[in-house]
Amino acid sequence: MGVSRLDVFYRRLLLTKLFIGGWGKPEDLKRIFAFQKVIGDREKCKYLVPKDYPVYINKTEEQADCLIHHGFFMSPLEHLVPGILPREAVKARFQFIVPKKWQKNRPVCIHLAGTGDHFFWRRRTLMARPMIKEAGMASLLLENPYYGYRKPKDQLRSSLKNVSDLLVMGGALILESTVLLRWLEREGYWPLGMTGISMGGYMASLAVTSWPKPIPLIPCLSWSTASSVFTTGVLSKAVNWTELEKQYAINSVYEEEIIKLLDYCGADSFKMGPEFVKNADCLGRVSGADGVSVAEAERGILIGLGSEGSGAGLNNSGASSHTPPGSLHPNNALHGKKTNSDNSCRPSLHRESISFMKGVMDECTHMANFPVPVDTSLIIVVQAKEDAYVPRTGVLSLQEIWPGCEVRYLKGGHISAYLFKQNVFRQAIYDAFNRFCLK
Protein backbone atom coordinates (compact mmCIF):
# COMPACT_ATOMS: atom_id res chain seq x y z
CA MET A 1 0.00 0.00 0.00
CA GLY A 2 1.37 3.40 -1.00
CA VAL A 3 1.36 6.57 1.03
CA SER A 4 -0.80 9.64 0.56
CA ARG A 5 0.74 12.47 -1.48
CA LEU A 6 -1.35 14.92 0.53
CA ASP A 7 0.18 13.63 3.76
CA VAL A 8 3.70 14.15 2.38
CA PHE A 9 2.87 17.60 1.00
CA TYR A 10 1.20 18.72 4.23
CA ARG A 11 4.22 17.60 6.26
CA ARG A 12 6.41 19.88 4.17
CA LEU A 13 4.32 22.86 5.27
CA LEU A 14 5.30 22.22 8.90
CA LEU A 15 8.45 24.24 9.37
CA THR A 16 8.97 23.79 13.12
CA LYS A 17 11.14 20.94 14.39
CA LEU A 18 10.06 18.45 17.02
CA PHE A 19 12.11 17.80 20.18
CA ILE A 20 14.49 20.76 19.75
CA GLY A 21 15.48 20.32 23.43
CA GLY A 22 16.48 16.69 22.90
CA TRP A 23 15.57 13.57 24.85
CA GLY A 24 14.79 15.28 28.16
CA LYS A 25 16.60 14.87 31.46
CA PRO A 26 17.82 11.30 32.02
CA GLU A 27 16.40 11.37 35.56
CA ASP A 28 12.98 12.31 34.13
CA LEU A 29 13.11 9.41 31.68
CA LYS A 30 14.03 7.04 34.51
CA ARG A 31 11.07 8.25 36.60
CA ILE A 32 8.71 7.93 33.62
CA PHE A 33 9.81 4.36 32.88
CA ALA A 34 9.48 3.39 36.53
CA PHE A 35 5.97 4.83 36.61
CA GLN A 36 5.08 3.10 33.33
CA LYS A 37 5.57 -0.24 35.12
CA VAL A 38 2.81 0.84 37.51
CA ILE A 39 0.27 2.17 35.00
CA GLY A 40 1.01 -0.84 32.79
CA ASP A 41 -0.58 -3.00 35.50
CA ARG A 42 -4.37 -2.68 35.67
CA GLU A 43 -4.58 -4.05 39.21
CA LYS A 44 -2.17 -1.39 40.49
CA CYS A 45 -3.99 1.31 38.52
CA LYS A 46 -7.16 0.71 40.51
CA TYR A 47 -5.59 2.33 43.54
CA LEU A 48 -3.77 5.25 41.93
CA VAL A 49 -6.82 7.53 41.68
CA PRO A 50 -9.32 7.68 44.59
CA LYS A 51 -12.93 7.08 43.55
CA ASP A 52 -13.95 10.44 45.02
CA TYR A 53 -11.11 12.40 43.37
CA PRO A 54 -12.32 16.06 43.34
CA VAL A 55 -13.51 17.53 40.03
CA TYR A 56 -14.92 21.07 39.80
CA ILE A 57 -17.30 22.87 37.42
CA ASN A 58 -16.57 26.59 37.54
CA LYS A 59 -18.76 27.94 34.72
CA THR A 60 -21.73 26.90 32.57
CA GLU A 61 -22.76 28.41 29.23
CA GLU A 62 -26.21 27.87 27.74
CA GLN A 63 -26.37 27.34 23.98
CA ALA A 64 -29.39 26.74 21.75
CA ASP A 65 -28.93 22.97 21.72
CA CYS A 66 -26.68 22.24 24.69
CA LEU A 67 -25.04 23.28 27.93
CA ILE A 68 -21.27 23.74 28.01
CA HIS A 69 -19.79 23.13 31.46
CA HIS A 70 -16.22 24.36 32.01
CA GLY A 71 -14.38 22.27 34.57
CA PHE A 72 -10.99 21.50 36.06
CA PHE A 73 -9.09 19.27 38.49
CA MET A 74 -5.47 18.75 39.49
CA SER A 75 -3.64 16.09 37.50
CA PRO A 76 -3.00 13.01 39.69
CA LEU A 77 0.41 12.71 38.02
CA GLU A 78 1.58 15.71 40.06
CA HIS A 79 0.87 13.77 43.28
CA LEU A 80 2.33 10.49 42.04
CA VAL A 81 5.44 11.77 40.21
CA PRO A 82 5.93 15.26 41.71
CA GLY A 83 7.50 17.90 39.49
CA ILE A 84 7.44 15.83 36.29
CA LEU A 85 4.71 18.00 34.76
CA PRO A 86 5.45 21.63 33.81
CA ARG A 87 3.86 24.05 36.25
CA GLU A 88 1.38 25.24 33.60
CA ALA A 89 0.13 21.69 32.95
CA VAL A 90 -0.70 20.64 36.53
CA LYS A 91 -4.25 22.01 36.32
CA ALA A 92 -6.29 19.83 33.94
CA ARG A 93 -9.10 21.71 32.15
CA PHE A 94 -12.06 20.31 30.26
CA GLN A 95 -15.34 21.22 28.57
CA PHE A 96 -18.39 19.03 29.14
CA ILE A 97 -20.95 19.48 26.36
CA VAL A 98 -24.35 18.12 27.36
CA PRO A 99 -27.62 18.02 25.38
CA LYS A 100 -30.50 20.00 26.88
CA LYS A 101 -32.70 16.97 26.34
CA TRP A 102 -31.43 13.39 26.45
CA GLN A 103 -32.78 10.95 23.83
CA LYS A 104 -31.99 7.66 25.58
CA ASN A 105 -29.84 7.05 28.65
CA ARG A 106 -27.14 9.66 29.34
CA PRO A 107 -24.22 8.59 27.15
CA VAL A 108 -20.90 10.46 27.35
CA CYS A 109 -17.85 10.08 25.13
CA ILE A 110 -14.50 11.48 26.29
CA HIS A 111 -12.47 12.95 23.40
CA LEU A 112 -8.69 13.26 23.77
CA ALA A 113 -6.90 15.80 21.58
CA GLY A 114 -4.78 15.04 18.54
CA THR A 115 -1.52 16.74 17.62
CA GLY A 116 -1.95 20.51 17.39
CA ASP A 117 -5.47 20.48 18.86
CA HIS A 118 -5.18 23.33 21.37
CA PHE A 119 -8.11 24.41 23.56
CA PHE A 120 -11.52 22.96 22.62
CA TRP A 121 -12.91 24.65 19.50
CA ARG A 122 -11.90 22.02 16.95
CA ARG A 123 -13.31 18.99 18.78
CA ARG A 124 -16.39 20.93 19.90
CA THR A 125 -17.22 22.04 16.35
CA LEU A 126 -16.30 18.93 14.36
CA MET A 127 -17.40 16.21 16.80
CA ALA A 128 -19.24 17.27 19.96
CA ARG A 129 -21.94 19.55 18.48
CA PRO A 130 -22.82 17.14 15.64
CA MET A 131 -23.00 14.26 18.17
CA ILE A 132 -25.59 16.20 20.20
CA LYS A 133 -27.67 16.70 17.06
CA GLU A 134 -27.26 13.21 15.58
CA ALA A 135 -27.37 10.98 18.64
CA GLY A 136 -28.14 13.08 21.73
CA MET A 137 -24.72 12.08 23.05
CA ALA A 138 -22.69 14.26 25.42
CA SER A 139 -18.96 14.85 24.91
CA LEU A 140 -16.25 15.62 27.42
CA LEU A 141 -13.21 17.34 25.90
CA LEU A 142 -10.05 17.12 27.99
CA GLU A 143 -7.16 19.45 27.23
CA ASN A 144 -3.81 17.70 26.79
CA PRO A 145 -0.83 18.68 28.93
CA TYR A 146 1.51 20.90 26.85
CA TYR A 147 -1.46 22.26 24.84
CA GLY A 148 -3.69 25.33 25.15
CA TYR A 149 -3.86 26.64 28.72
CA ARG A 150 -1.50 23.83 29.71
CA LYS A 151 1.31 24.82 27.31
CA PRO A 152 4.68 25.74 28.87
CA LYS A 153 5.74 29.31 28.16
CA ASP A 154 8.96 28.24 26.41
CA GLN A 155 7.23 25.82 24.00
CA LEU A 156 6.72 26.88 20.40
CA ARG A 157 3.17 26.08 19.26
CA SER A 158 2.61 22.30 19.27
CA SER A 159 6.28 21.35 19.03
CA LEU A 160 7.03 19.43 22.20
CA LYS A 161 10.47 20.46 23.41
CA ASN A 162 11.69 17.05 24.62
CA VAL A 163 10.94 13.43 23.75
CA SER A 164 10.17 12.95 27.46
CA ASP A 165 7.32 15.49 27.17
CA LEU A 166 5.30 13.11 25.00
CA LEU A 167 5.76 10.32 27.53
CA VAL A 168 4.75 12.58 30.42
CA MET A 169 1.68 13.62 28.42
CA GLY A 170 0.68 9.98 28.00
CA GLY A 171 1.07 9.15 31.70
CA ALA A 172 -0.91 12.23 32.71
CA LEU A 173 -3.76 11.50 30.27
CA ILE A 174 -4.14 7.89 31.45
CA LEU A 175 -4.65 9.09 35.03
CA GLU A 176 -6.77 12.11 34.07
CA SER A 177 -9.07 9.92 31.97
CA THR A 178 -9.56 7.68 35.01
CA VAL A 179 -10.49 10.74 37.10
CA LEU A 180 -13.11 11.79 34.54
CA LEU A 181 -14.57 8.30 34.04
CA ARG A 182 -14.99 7.90 37.79
CA TRP A 183 -16.51 11.37 38.12
CA LEU A 184 -19.00 10.67 35.30
CA GLU A 185 -19.94 7.38 36.96
CA ARG A 186 -20.56 9.19 40.27
CA GLU A 187 -22.75 11.72 38.46
CA GLY A 188 -24.91 8.96 36.97
CA TYR A 189 -23.91 9.16 33.31
CA TRP A 190 -24.05 5.95 31.25
CA PRO A 191 -22.76 4.48 29.01
CA LEU A 192 -19.27 5.97 28.94
CA GLY A 193 -16.69 5.63 26.15
CA MET A 194 -13.44 7.09 24.85
CA THR A 195 -12.23 8.31 21.48
CA GLY A 196 -9.52 10.43 19.89
CA ILE A 197 -8.05 11.19 16.49
CA SER A 198 -4.37 10.58 15.65
CA MET A 199 -2.36 11.15 18.85
CA GLY A 200 -5.70 11.43 20.70
CA GLY A 201 -6.52 7.91 19.53
CA TYR A 202 -3.25 6.57 20.96
CA MET A 203 -3.88 8.31 24.26
CA ALA A 204 -7.50 7.09 24.46
CA SER A 205 -6.29 3.53 23.77
CA LEU A 206 -3.68 3.76 26.54
CA ALA A 207 -6.29 5.12 28.97
CA VAL A 208 -8.72 2.27 28.27
CA THR A 209 -6.06 -0.40 28.91
CA SER A 210 -6.00 0.66 32.57
CA TRP A 211 -9.81 0.91 33.00
CA PRO A 212 -11.10 -2.16 34.91
CA LYS A 213 -14.50 -2.45 33.15
CA PRO A 214 -15.80 -3.02 29.62
CA ILE A 215 -15.91 0.31 27.78
CA PRO A 216 -16.42 1.42 24.15
CA LEU A 217 -13.15 2.62 22.57
CA ILE A 218 -12.92 4.29 19.15
CA PRO A 219 -9.32 5.21 18.22
CA CYS A 220 -9.23 7.01 14.86
CA LEU A 221 -6.10 7.32 12.66
CA SER A 222 -3.85 5.70 15.28
CA TRP A 223 -2.35 2.22 15.53
CA SER A 224 -0.48 -0.09 17.89
CA THR A 225 2.56 2.09 18.71
CA ALA A 226 3.76 5.66 18.25
CA SER A 227 7.33 4.53 17.55
CA SER A 228 6.75 4.20 13.79
CA VAL A 229 5.33 7.75 13.70
CA PHE A 230 8.69 9.22 14.74
CA THR A 231 11.04 6.74 13.06
CA THR A 232 9.52 5.82 9.67
CA GLY A 233 6.47 8.06 9.13
CA VAL A 234 6.62 11.42 7.36
CA LEU A 235 6.74 13.12 10.76
CA SER A 236 10.17 11.58 11.34
CA LYS A 237 11.50 14.24 8.95
CA ALA A 238 10.39 16.94 11.41
CA VAL A 239 12.33 15.42 14.32
CA ASN A 240 15.48 17.31 15.32
CA TRP A 241 17.78 14.31 14.87
CA THR A 242 20.90 16.51 14.97
CA GLU A 243 20.27 17.47 18.62
CA LEU A 244 19.13 13.96 19.58
CA GLU A 245 22.24 12.37 18.04
CA LYS A 246 24.52 14.89 19.75
CA GLN A 247 23.00 14.27 23.18
CA TYR A 248 23.03 10.51 22.67
CA ALA A 249 26.73 10.63 21.75
CA ILE A 250 27.81 13.00 24.53
CA ASN A 251 25.80 11.66 27.46
CA SER A 252 26.57 7.98 28.02
CA VAL A 253 23.71 7.59 30.50
CA TYR A 254 21.23 7.12 27.63
CA GLU A 255 23.24 4.24 26.20
CA GLU A 256 24.48 2.72 29.43
CA GLU A 257 21.56 3.16 31.85
CA ILE A 258 18.31 4.18 30.14
CA ILE A 259 18.40 1.31 27.62
CA LYS A 260 18.41 -1.20 30.48
CA LEU A 261 15.05 0.16 31.61
CA LEU A 262 13.37 -0.62 28.26
CA ASP A 263 11.44 -3.83 28.80
CA TYR A 264 9.25 -4.09 25.71
CA CYS A 265 10.88 -6.51 23.30
CA GLY A 266 8.05 -8.05 21.30
CA ALA A 267 8.12 -9.34 17.76
CA ASP A 268 8.42 -5.89 16.24
CA SER A 269 10.85 -4.32 18.72
CA PHE A 270 13.99 -3.04 16.95
CA LYS A 271 12.97 -5.05 13.88
CA MET A 272 12.96 -3.55 10.41
CA GLY A 273 12.49 -6.04 7.57
CA PRO A 274 12.35 -5.82 3.76
CA GLU A 275 8.84 -4.37 3.94
CA PHE A 276 10.29 -1.30 5.65
CA VAL A 277 12.77 -0.78 2.81
CA LYS A 278 9.90 -1.01 0.34
CA ASN A 279 7.84 1.41 2.43
CA ALA A 280 10.64 3.96 2.71
CA ASP A 281 11.48 3.63 -0.99
CA CYS A 282 7.86 4.47 -1.76
CA LEU A 283 7.97 7.39 0.68
CA GLY A 284 11.13 8.68 -0.99
CA ARG A 285 9.61 8.58 -4.46
CA VAL A 286 6.46 10.39 -3.35
CA SER A 287 8.22 13.00 -1.25
CA GLY A 288 10.66 14.13 -3.94
CA ALA A 289 11.65 17.53 -2.60
CA ASP A 290 12.10 16.07 0.88
CA GLY A 291 15.16 14.32 -0.53
CA VAL A 292 14.51 10.94 1.08
CA SER A 293 16.66 8.51 -0.93
CA VAL A 294 16.86 4.77 -0.47
CA ALA A 295 20.48 5.24 0.60
CA GLU A 296 19.44 7.69 3.30
CA ALA A 297 16.60 5.39 4.32
CA GLU A 298 18.98 2.45 4.69
CA ARG A 299 21.48 4.62 6.58
CA GLY A 300 19.04 6.27 8.93
CA ILE A 301 15.33 5.68 8.97
CA LEU A 302 15.70 1.94 8.34
CA ILE A 303 17.60 -0.10 10.87
CA GLY A 304 17.51 -3.77 9.87
CA LEU A 305 18.57 -5.01 13.28
CA GLY A 306 16.29 -7.91 14.15
CA SER A 307 14.90 -11.13 12.75
CA GLU A 308 11.77 -11.08 10.62
CA GLY A 309 9.68 -13.58 12.54
CA SER A 310 6.26 -12.07 12.82
CA GLY A 311 4.88 -14.15 15.65
CA ALA A 312 7.66 -13.99 18.23
CA GLY A 313 6.67 -12.13 21.33
CA LEU A 314 3.02 -13.20 21.21
CA ASN A 315 1.66 -16.15 23.07
CA ASN A 316 -1.23 -18.26 21.80
CA SER A 317 -3.83 -15.89 23.16
CA GLY A 318 -2.36 -12.92 21.28
CA ALA A 319 -1.12 -11.28 24.47
CA SER A 320 2.35 -9.81 24.71
CA SER A 321 5.11 -12.11 25.88
CA HIS A 322 8.22 -10.69 27.50
CA THR A 323 10.48 -13.64 26.65
CA PRO A 324 11.22 -13.37 22.92
CA PRO A 325 14.55 -14.35 21.36
CA GLY A 326 17.46 -12.47 22.91
CA SER A 327 18.40 -10.97 19.55
CA LEU A 328 15.31 -8.76 19.73
CA HIS A 329 16.11 -7.25 23.09
CA PRO A 330 16.86 -3.51 22.97
CA ASN A 331 19.99 -4.00 25.07
CA ASN A 332 21.43 -6.32 22.42
CA ALA A 333 20.22 -4.08 19.61
CA LEU A 334 22.06 -1.03 20.86
CA HIS A 335 25.04 -2.23 22.85
CA GLY A 336 28.41 -2.91 21.33
CA LYS A 337 27.96 -0.54 18.41
CA LYS A 338 30.78 1.92 19.12
CA THR A 339 33.59 1.42 16.66
CA ASN A 340 35.64 4.40 17.78
CA SER A 341 35.85 6.35 21.01
CA ASP A 342 35.69 9.55 18.95
CA ASN A 343 31.96 10.26 18.65
CA SER A 344 32.46 12.08 15.36
CA CYS A 345 33.67 8.77 13.89
CA ARG A 346 30.47 6.86 14.67
CA PRO A 347 28.78 6.32 11.33
CA SER A 348 26.07 4.36 13.14
CA LEU A 349 25.14 7.25 15.47
CA HIS A 350 22.04 8.19 13.47
CA ARG A 351 20.97 4.55 13.38
CA GLU A 352 21.58 4.17 17.13
CA SER A 353 19.56 7.31 17.88
CA ILE A 354 16.62 6.05 15.84
CA SER A 355 16.87 2.66 17.58
CA PHE A 356 16.85 4.40 20.93
CA MET A 357 13.82 6.49 19.88
CA LYS A 358 11.99 3.33 18.85
CA GLY A 359 12.79 1.65 22.16
CA VAL A 360 11.71 4.65 24.22
CA MET A 361 8.45 5.07 22.27
CA ASP A 362 7.62 1.36 22.32
CA GLU A 363 8.21 1.24 26.06
CA CYS A 364 5.58 3.89 26.78
CA THR A 365 3.16 3.73 23.83
CA HIS A 366 3.16 0.16 22.47
CA MET A 367 -0.22 -1.40 23.22
CA ALA A 368 1.42 -4.81 23.72
CA ASN A 369 3.17 -3.28 26.73
CA PHE A 370 -0.18 -2.62 28.44
CA PRO A 371 -3.10 -4.82 29.55
CA VAL A 372 -5.61 -5.92 26.90
CA PRO A 373 -8.86 -3.91 27.37
CA VAL A 374 -11.51 -5.87 29.29
CA ASP A 375 -13.79 -6.36 26.26
CA THR A 376 -12.09 -5.99 22.87
CA SER A 377 -15.37 -6.47 20.99
CA LEU A 378 -16.27 -2.92 22.09
CA ILE A 379 -13.28 -1.49 20.18
CA ILE A 380 -13.80 -0.05 16.69
CA VAL A 381 -10.59 1.23 15.12
CA VAL A 382 -10.85 3.60 12.13
CA GLN A 383 -7.68 3.70 10.01
CA ALA A 384 -6.67 5.31 6.68
CA LYS A 385 -5.27 2.89 4.11
CA GLU A 386 -2.56 5.26 2.82
CA ASP A 387 -1.65 6.90 6.13
CA ALA A 388 1.90 8.28 5.85
CA TYR A 389 1.86 9.63 9.41
CA VAL A 390 1.05 6.35 11.14
CA PRO A 391 2.87 3.53 9.28
CA ARG A 392 1.52 0.04 9.91
CA THR A 393 4.26 -1.90 8.10
CA GLY A 394 6.59 -3.84 10.36
CA VAL A 395 4.65 -3.29 13.59
CA LEU A 396 2.21 -5.64 15.30
CA SER A 397 -1.37 -5.01 14.24
CA LEU A 398 -4.03 -4.10 16.76
CA GLN A 399 -5.92 -7.27 15.81
CA GLU A 400 -2.91 -9.32 16.97
CA ILE A 401 -2.65 -7.43 20.27
CA TRP A 402 -6.41 -7.05 20.87
CA PRO A 403 -8.08 -10.14 19.35
CA GLY A 404 -11.75 -9.41 18.68
CA CYS A 405 -11.45 -5.70 17.93
CA GLU A 406 -12.90 -4.34 14.67
CA VAL A 407 -10.81 -2.30 12.20
CA ARG A 408 -12.49 -0.13 9.56
CA TYR A 409 -10.33 1.18 6.72
CA LEU A 410 -10.87 4.42 4.84
CA LYS A 411 -9.48 5.27 1.41
CA GLY A 412 -6.79 7.94 1.37
CA GLY A 413 -4.34 9.24 3.94
CA HIS A 414 -4.18 10.81 7.39
CA ILE A 415 -4.91 14.41 6.39
CA SER A 416 -7.76 13.70 3.96
CA ALA A 417 -9.43 11.39 6.50
CA TYR A 418 -9.17 14.06 9.19
CA LEU A 419 -10.58 16.75 6.92
CA PHE A 420 -13.39 14.82 5.27
CA LYS A 421 -14.28 11.73 7.33
CA GLN A 422 -15.34 13.07 10.73
CA ASN A 423 -18.82 11.65 10.04
CA VAL A 424 -17.27 8.18 9.72
CA PHE A 425 -15.54 8.62 13.08
CA ARG A 426 -18.83 9.65 14.68
CA GLN A 427 -20.67 6.66 13.18
CA ALA A 428 -18.05 4.32 14.64
CA ILE A 429 -18.66 5.94 18.06
CA TYR A 430 -22.42 5.37 17.79
CA ASP A 431 -21.89 1.76 16.67
CA ALA A 432 -19.51 0.99 19.57
CA PHE A 433 -21.91 2.52 22.12
CA ASN A 434 -24.87 0.61 20.64
CA ARG A 435 -22.85 -2.60 20.81
CA PHE A 436 -22.14 -1.90 24.47
CA CYS A 437 -25.81 -1.28 25.27
CA LEU A 438 -26.86 -4.50 23.52
CA LYS A 439 -24.30 -6.51 25.49
Side-chain angles (χ1 to χ4, degrees), residues 35-179:
F35 187 65
Q36 193 278 325
K37 305 291 186 294
V38 179
I39 56 175
D41 184 327
R42 193 153 52 218
E43 282 304 306
K44 291 178 183 174
C45 272
K46 284 182 185 177
Y47 308 104
L48 293 180
V49 178
K51 290 188 176 179
D52 57 350
Y53 196 91
V55 175
Y56 307 97
I57 299 293
N58 56 352
K59 187 172 105 178
T60 298
E61 296 176 50
E62 186 170 350
Q63 305 282 324
D65 56 343
C66 65
L67 297 172
I68 302 178
H69 303 293
H70 299 256
F72 71 93
F73 57 95
M74 297 300 142
S75 178
L77 190 62
E78 177 62 16
H79 306 305
L80 295 164
V81 192
I84 200 83
L85 276 168
R87 186 173 47 82
E88 298 90 340
V90 171
K91 187 177 183 179
R93 301 167 189 265
F94 65 88
Q95 283 189 1
F96 186 26
I97 299 158
V98 180
K100 282 187 170 177
K101 191 175 181 182
W102 297 94
Q103 291 181 14
K104 184 184 177 185
N105 301 319
R106 298 169 76 205
V108 181
C109 191
I110 297 175
H111 302 247
L112 298 186
T115 302
D117 192 352
H118 295 261
F119 304 105
F120 308 103
W121 180 87
R122 201 183 297 180
R123 284 172 288 164
R124 189 175 65 233
T125 305
L126 297 177
M127 293 291 281
R129 297 296 282 268
M131 285 169 65
I132 295 256
K133 188 177 179 182
E134 294 167 357
M137 185 179 291
S139 293
L140 196 151
L141 318 178
L142 175 62
E143 188 161 64
N144 287 2
Y146 301 92
Y147 278 16
Y149 290 114
R150 307 181 73 183
K151 184 169 80 71
K153 289 183 173 62
D154 61 350
Q155 179 181 302
L156 183 64
R157 295 193 285 278
S158 307
S159 300
L160 298 181
K161 198 173 172 186
N162 305 305
V163 172
S164 60
D165 294 346
L166 185 69
L167 313 181
V168 171
M169 181 194 287
L173 287 171
I174 290 172
L175 296 168
E176 292 166 14
S177 298
T178 300
V179 169

Side-chain angles (χ1 to χ4, degrees), residues 382-414:
V382 185
Q383 182 53 264
K385 284 185 178 179
E386 298 170 8
D387 197 325
Y389 281 82
V390 185
R392 296 186 300 279
T393 305
V395 298
L396 290 174
S397 71
L398 281 175
Q399 296 103 314
E400 289 177 279
I401 301 167
W402 297 339
C405 73
E406 178 186 348
V407 180
R408 299 178 180 180
Y409 289 99
L410 301 170
K411 287 183 180 177
H414 198 87

